[in-house]
Every structure is written in structure tokens, then in C-alpha cells.
């Protein structure tokens, strides 16, 4: 095939990719752009377009690589600089983003949006430097000076009252209150966070549970502040009860604009039924992510800064994994950089010594890694963590007597995906993610026989509040 013919075919594939992108089908867009590159690898637009699709898939490491390749082919490609800046912002590398935003402003001095993004990026760099400067090794507990008993709830408060114990009546009232755009009184918020923090702090790093006869467990993936879609799960599948346990596998907050409603409701269920309701920490239950992706801003807007600090401390107390029936290891991200890592290593991990996951180590890998189709391990498409292949998953399951690993952390267009010859299962429970991705949500029901029963569901309408409404800057709105 001549070069001209290959380029013509590649352009046709790029056009299909553009159509898929317009339809919010990001995986298909990436696939078409990749096919175009296979046909003809000298057009910077193919890489730049794929970078944008990868941003939508949160594959920020891939997006940075694609934008950099586009710039190799065309050093003046302003779109590629812009997209690399956005991807670097997403992985919290604000200094790298700053360099690219400066180039965009230099090339397009009248671009008001670029000037705004540059100014916001400069603020982020300064804020990160400030937080690092005031960081202390072992900060005092946010609960130390919290005198909940002294806080008075006014007589005209129009919600249910909460005593020393959580009740189903209070939860029912809370659900309706949140649907109507109302908040809880801050005393009740403090009570819920404190009670759940104490419960989960005493749980092991890897909770081990069985599915008792005549009961079932439902495993849900990321819900990301999509409160009305969470209620749809309960409507379709039933609310938590003593014979219907739930496990939420991380990423309760950020992005969606009802994160406080979701986490307070999940915490309320945990307080009411601590032995039948389970919460694994996700990579978005961390300070760095909450500052950028909206949860900190939402806490401050709806309540106060104290609430965010209390949630932050409670997040660091959450377990990192749940072992279901000795067959399914459920954790947010995935597997490890070392084949010798075992369930005993997770059991022994003292998560209380390290509040935030950092850039390396067992906790980071449990929260951040992703599966890949190729054997072995590879660099992360996110720019954080790593990827693991089917051979890694098989070896881990064989060595630890597991049937499969259940994880979340990634959008799946059908809500779930069974990979690695059935050994790696991804479940994602935020349909129409961020109001832009045309994906379904899913959850998994597991009965006493430990068979997996997959259920898909569609997004439901919600009030007209956009995702990332409480993010501290508009940089994130570009993703």
C-alpha cells in the first residue's frame, strides 16, 4: 500500500474516531485513533485526538504520551500542549502543566480561556508549595477539640432527630432530605463521621466476611457523588438489611456534586449495621484528590472546613480490602509489583501508620493499579501506579487460593467487565459518568454459594447541578 493510500485509510479511521468521541464512546474513539496510527503514524492530529479521548477515560499517562508524540511530529501543535497540560493537572503535576499552559498563552496571547487556566495553575502550584511547607509529620486529630455534646440543634430544625444510635427512621428521613436539596445539621454530621471512624478504625486492613445462608452480599464499584444513581441501586436491588449486606468498593466522593450526601448515607448505613455493611477505601478517599476533584470544596460549601478534616481522618481509617468467602479479594485498584505479595501481607499492613497512600508501596498499589491485556507488568496509563497482566492475576489467585479479584477504579461501558480469563472482575457503579460518558452502571450480587450475579442499570435524572460544581478551579472542567 502506498503512503498516500495508507494515509487516506487512516483519515477515514480518524473520522470514525471523531464520530465515536462525539457520541461519548471514548473506548471506541481510542480504538479508531489507534487503528489510524497503525495505518499511518506521521499525523500529529491522530495522537492529539487520542490524547483527548484518553483524558476522558482518565488514562492520563497515555494522554501525556500521546500529546508528547504529537509535539515530536509538530512542535507548534497548540492543542497537544493544551491536552498535555490538562492531563498533567489531573495527575497533580501542576508544575509540568504550568509549562505547557505558558506555551499556549505565548502562542495565543488573546486566548482568554488559556490565560484563566494559566492563572489557576499558578495558584495550584503555590498552594501545593504552601501545604508542603506547613506539613507536619503527625498532625493532631481533627476530633480532639470536637465537643459534639455541646452543640445544640435548634427547635425549628425540620429533620428527624438523632440520638446516641443510628436508626432506620433517621436514615429514611435523611434520604428524602438529601433528595430535596437539604442538609443535615452539623451536629449530626459530626456524630456520623465520629461514630463510623471509630468503627472502621478497629476493623482489620483486610476485612474477612462470609455470606451466610439465606443472605446475599451486593458489591458496588465507584459511585463518585452520583447520589440519585446510588438511590437507583437501592430501588432496584433492595436497601441494606441484616440479610442483605453491601460492600462499596471505594471512590464514594469527588467529581459528582452530591458527594457529601453519598458519604453521609453510606456512613449512616455502616453505623446502623456495622457487620452487614462494608466500605473499602478508594484512591479518591485521599486528601490530594479531594482538593482537586471537588469533595473539599463541597464540604466547605455545604458545611464547613471542619467537616472535610473529619472526613479526611475517617477516610484514612477505612479498610483497604475485603475478602469474601475466602474466594474473592475485593479492593479498589488492583494487584502488586511483587509476585510474592500475599493476603498475609495485606493482613499485616498497618494502614494507621500512613494516612495517605503516597507514590509507592502496598497501599498505593491497592488503590491505584489497573489490569492490562498483555502479560507481565507495564507502566500505568494513569501516570500513577502500574498495570498487571493476566499471568500476574493467575499467579496471585493460585498462590492465595482465590477464585478471582474484584476491583473497581475504571469506567466500563457495560458497567462491569470480566477479564484475565475470569480471574479479574471490574465493577463500576456510576452510570453516565460525570454526565458525559454513555456507560451503564453495574453491581454484583453474591449468594451463599459464592456465584457472581451481574446486574446493569441506567442513569436516572438528577437536579441540574453539573459534575465538579464544587471543584476549586475550572481546570478540571476540561477533562
Amino acid at each position: 500500500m502506498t503512503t498516500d493510500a495508507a494515509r487516506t485509510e487512516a483519515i477515514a479511521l480518524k473520522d470514525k474516531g471523531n464520530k465515536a468521541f462525539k457520541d461519548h464512546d471514548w473506548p471506541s474513539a481510542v480504538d479508531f485513533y489507534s487503528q489510524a496510527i497503525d495505518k499511518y503514524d506521521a499525523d500529529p492530529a491522530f495522537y492529539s485526538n487520542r490524547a483527548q479521548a484518553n483524558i476522558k477515560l482518565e488514562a492520563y499517562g497515555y494522554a501525556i504520551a500521546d500529546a508528547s508524540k504529537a509535539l515530536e511530529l509538530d512542535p507548534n501543535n497548540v492543542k497537544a500542549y493544551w491536552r498535555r497540560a490538562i492531563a498533567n493537572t489531573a495527575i497533580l503535576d501542576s508544575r509540568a502543566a504550568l509549562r505547557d499552559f505558558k506555551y499556549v498563552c505565548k502562542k495565543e496571547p488573546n486566548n482568554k480561556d488559556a490565560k484563566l487556566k494559566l492563572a489557576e495553575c499558578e495558584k495550584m502550584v503555590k498552594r501545593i508549595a504552601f501545604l508542603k511547607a506547613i506539613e507536619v509529620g503527625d498532625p493532631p486529630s481533627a476530633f480532639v477539640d470536637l465537643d459534639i455534646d455541646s452543640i445544640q440543634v435548634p427547635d425549628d430544625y425540620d429533620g428527624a432527630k438523632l440520638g446516641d444510635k443510628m436508626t432506620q427512621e433517621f436514615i429514611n428521613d435523611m434520604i428524602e432530605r438529601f433528595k430535596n436539596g437539604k442538609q443535615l445539621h452539623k451536629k449530626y454530621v459530626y456524630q456520623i463521621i465520629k461514630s463510623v471512624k471509630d468503627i472502621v478504625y478497629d476493623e482489620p486492613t483486610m476485612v474477612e466476611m462470609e455470606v451466610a445462608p439465606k443472605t446475599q452480599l451486593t458489591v458496588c464499584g465507584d459511585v463518585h457523588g452520583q447520589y440519585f444513581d446510588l438511590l437507583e441501586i437501592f430501588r432496584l436491588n433492595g436497601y441494606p438489611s441484616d440479610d442483605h449486606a453491601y460492600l462499596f468498593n471505594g471512590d464514594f466522593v469527588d467529581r459528582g456534586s452530591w458527594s457529601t450526601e453519598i458519604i453521609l448515607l453510606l456512613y449512616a448505613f455502616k453505623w446502623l449495621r456495622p457487620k452487614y455493611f462494608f466500605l473499602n477505601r478508594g484512591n479518591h478517599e485521599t486528601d490530594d484528590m479531594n482538593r482537586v476533584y471537588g469533595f473539599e470544596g463541597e464540604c466547605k460549601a455545604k458545611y464547613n472546613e471542619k467537616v472535610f478534616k473529619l472526613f479526611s481522618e475517617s477516610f484514612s481509617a477505612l479498610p483497604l480490602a475485603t475478602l469474601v468467602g475466602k474466594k474473592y479479594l475485593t479492593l479498589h485498584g488492583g494487584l502488586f509489583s511483587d509476585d510474592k505479595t500475599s493476603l498475609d501481607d495485606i493482613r499485616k499492613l498497618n494502614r494507621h501508620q500512613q494516612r495517605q497512600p503516597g507514590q509507592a508501596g502496598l497501599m498505593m498499589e491497592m488503590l491505584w493499579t489497573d489490569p492490562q491485556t498483555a502479560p507481565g507488568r507495564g507502566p500505568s496509563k494513569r501516570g500513577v501506579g502500574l498495570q498487571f497482566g493476566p499471568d500476574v492475576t493467575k499467579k496471585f489467585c493460585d498462590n492465595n487460593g482465590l477464585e478471582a479479584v474484584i476491583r473497581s477504579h475504571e469506567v466500563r461501558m457495560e458497567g462491569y467487565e470480566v477479564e484475565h480469563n475470569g480471574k479479574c472482575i471490574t465493577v463500576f457503579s456510576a452510570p453516565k459518568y460525570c454526565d458525559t460518558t454513555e456507560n451503564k452502571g453495574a453491581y454484583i450480587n453474591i449468594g451463599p454459594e459464592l456465584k457472581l450475579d451481574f446486574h446493569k442499570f441506567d442513569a436516572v435524572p438528577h437536579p441540574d447541578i453539573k459534575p465538579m460544581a464544587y471543584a476549586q478551579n475550572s481546570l478540571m472542567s476540561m477533562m
Side-chain angles (χ1 to χ4, degrees):
M1 183 182 296
T2 66
T3 300
D4 286 346
R7 188 168 186 275
T8 299
E9 285 192 22
I11 289 172
L13 288 164
K14 181 201 74 170
D15 291 342
K16 289 183 178 180
N18 291 347
K19 171 67 164 58
F21 188 93
K22 185 178 179 182
D23 292 339
H24 296 179
D25 183 356
W26 322 125
S28 294
V30 167
D31 185 50
F32 282 125
Y33 295 141
S34 298
Q35 290 181 52
I37 290 167
D38 288 341
K39 292 283 185 185
Y40 183 80
D41 62 3
D43 190 326
F46 299 169
Y47 294 96
S48 181
N49 287 11
R50 191 169 69 176
Q52 183 67 2
N54 275 319
I55 286 171
K56 293 294 187 181
L57 286 170
E58 300 181 19
Y60 301 119
Y62 284 176
I64 291 165
D66 277 340
S68 297
K69 180 63 178 179
L71 290 168
E72 283 181 26
L73 296 169
D74 177 10
N76 297 311
N77 190 318
V78 175
K79 280 186 178 179
Y81 278 107
W82 177 266
R83 288 165 183 171
R84 190 168 68 178
I86 294 296
N88 272 312
T89 300
I91 63 170
L92 313 184
D93 190 349
S94 300
R95 289 189 179 278
L98 187 63
R99 291 192 293 270
D100 286 343
F101 280 130
K102 283 181 177 178
Y103 181 88
V104 175
C105 288
K106 180 181 176 181
K107 286 291 184 181
E108 298 182 352
N110 296 322
N111 187 329
K112 292 181 181 179
D113 199 30
K115 287 180 179 179
L116 175 63
K117 300 297 184 287
L118 175 61
E120 290 175 342
C121 193
E122 288 173 336
K123 287 181 185 176
M124 287 179 69
V125 169
K126 289 176 182 177
R127 186 180 188 217
I128 290 167
F130 172 74
L131 291 170
K132 199 161 205 174
I134 64 170
E135 191 176 76
V136 292
D138 189 14
S141 171
F143 293 92
V144 166
D145 60 351
L146 187 65
D147 185 3
I148 297 175
D149 291 338
S150 70
I151 301 172
Q152 298 296 313
V153 179
D155 292 337
D156 62 354
Y157 178 71
D158 62 350
K161 305 298 190 289
L162 178 62
D164 294 333
K165 294 181 179 179
M166 181 56 64
T167 65
Q168 187 63 54
E169 290 73 23
F170 185 87
I171 290 176
N172 293 343
D173 181 78
M174 175 197 281
I175 289 169
E176 292 304 311
R177 190 172 189 82
F178 289 162
K179 282 167 65 175
N180 294 324
K182 295 182 178 181
Q183 308 304 324
L184 296 181
H185 190 273
K186 68 178 181 180
K187 176 173 183 171
Y188 300 151
V189 174
Y190 294 160
Q191 277 184 272
I192 292 169
I193 302 173
K194 174 69 166 60
S195 299
V196 173
K197 184 258 183 183
D198 290 344
I199 291 168
V200 298
Y201 188 95
D202 291 335
E203 290 182 329
T205 296
M206 183 178 73
V207 174
E208 302 183 45
M209 60 87 64
E210 301 290 336
V211 184
K214 298 183 180 179
T215 71
Q216 75 172 0
L217 169 71
T218 297
V219 180
C220 298
D222 304 33
V223 288
H224 272 304
Q226 297 185 195
Y227 178 71
F228 294 86
D229 295 317
L230 171 64
L231 295 186
E232 179 70 355
I233 294 175
F234 293 141
R235 186 189 73 81
L236 293 169
N237 194 52
Y239 280 84
S241 67
D242 288 352
D243 56 11
H244 188 172
Y246 272 83
L247 165 57
F248 282 83
N249 196 29
D251 282 13
F252 323 120
V253 302
D254 281 337
R255 295 195 178 275
S257 294
W258 291 270
S259 290
T260 57
E261 287 82 358
I262 277 194
I263 193 59
L264 286 168
L265 180 56
L266 296 183
Y267 271 20
F269 279 126
K270 179 64 179 177
W271 187 6
L272 181 65
R273 291 188 169 84
K275 300 298 183 186
Y276 305 97
F277 200 88
F278 305 93
L279 299 169
N280 288 341
R281 188 180 188 179
N283 67 302
H284 276 268
E285 281 69 59
T286 56
D287 286 355
D288 286 348
M289 302 299 279
N290 295 160
R291 289 187 183 116
V292 172
Y293 287 94
F295 184 60
E296 181 185 41
E298 184 177 337
C299 286
K300 290 178 179 178
K302 294 180 179 177
Y303 296 102
N304 53 43
E305 186 175 9
K306 183 73 170 179
V307 165
F308 173 68
K309 290 181 177 179
L310 295 173
F311 270 127
S312 170
E313 193 167 333
S314 75
F315 289 164
S316 70
L318 289 168
L320 301 178
T322 302
L323 182 63
V324 179
K326 300 182 179 63
K327 280 193 171 187
Y328 301 106
L329 175 66
T330 308
L331 73 174
H332 181 70
L335 296 181
F336 310 100
S337 56
D338 187 346
D339 281 336
K340 295 178 182 177
T341 301
S342 68
L343 294 181
D344 277 341
D345 292 311
I346 301 174
R347 290 185 180 102
K348 293 172 186 173
L349 177 63
N350 185 347
R351 69 191 188 279
H352 302 311
Q353 288 183 334
Q354 179 186 348
R355 285 188 56 178
Q356 303 301 321
Q359 297 295 310
L362 206 61
M363 185 189 296
M364 182 280 292
E365 291 175 357
M366 294 175 74
L367 299 183
W368 276 99
T369 61
D370 295 294
Q372 64 182 23
T373 55
R377 295 176 174 85
S380 172
K381 61 189 176 185
R382 299 174 185 271
V384 182
L386 56 91
Q387 295 184 175
F388 57 94
D391 54 329
V392 175
T393 305
K394 183 179 187 305
K395 187 177 291 186
F396 180 83
C397 289
D398 290 348
N399 290 345
N400 292 280
L402 298 174
E403 194 160 308
V405 172
I406 299 175
R407 42 90 61 181
S408 302
H409 195 38
E410 291 182 282
V411 177
R412 290 294 188 261
M413 295 307 288
E414 292 301 310
Y416 74 95
E417 187 173 359
V418 180
E419 303 169 81
H420 292 186
N421 301 309
K423 297 287 186 183
C424 181
I425 295 145
T426 298
V427 58
F428 192 84
S429 304
K432 200 168 186 181
Y433 181 44
C434 292
D435 288 349
T436 60
T437 304
E438 296 300 331
N439 65 292
K440 294 183 180 297
Y443 52 88
I444 308 170
N445 284 334
I446 306 175
E449 302 81 13
L450 300 181
K451 302 299 181 186
L452 304 184
D453 182 17
F454 297 94
H455 295 262
K456 297 187 287 187
F457 67 102
D458 293 317
V460 295
H462 61 71
D464 188 20
I465 302 173
K466 296 187 183 305
M468 304 293 293
Y470 299 96
Q472 292 190 351
N473 59 74
S474 64
L475 280 169
M476 312 315 293
S477 67
M478 301 303 298
M479 294 173 195

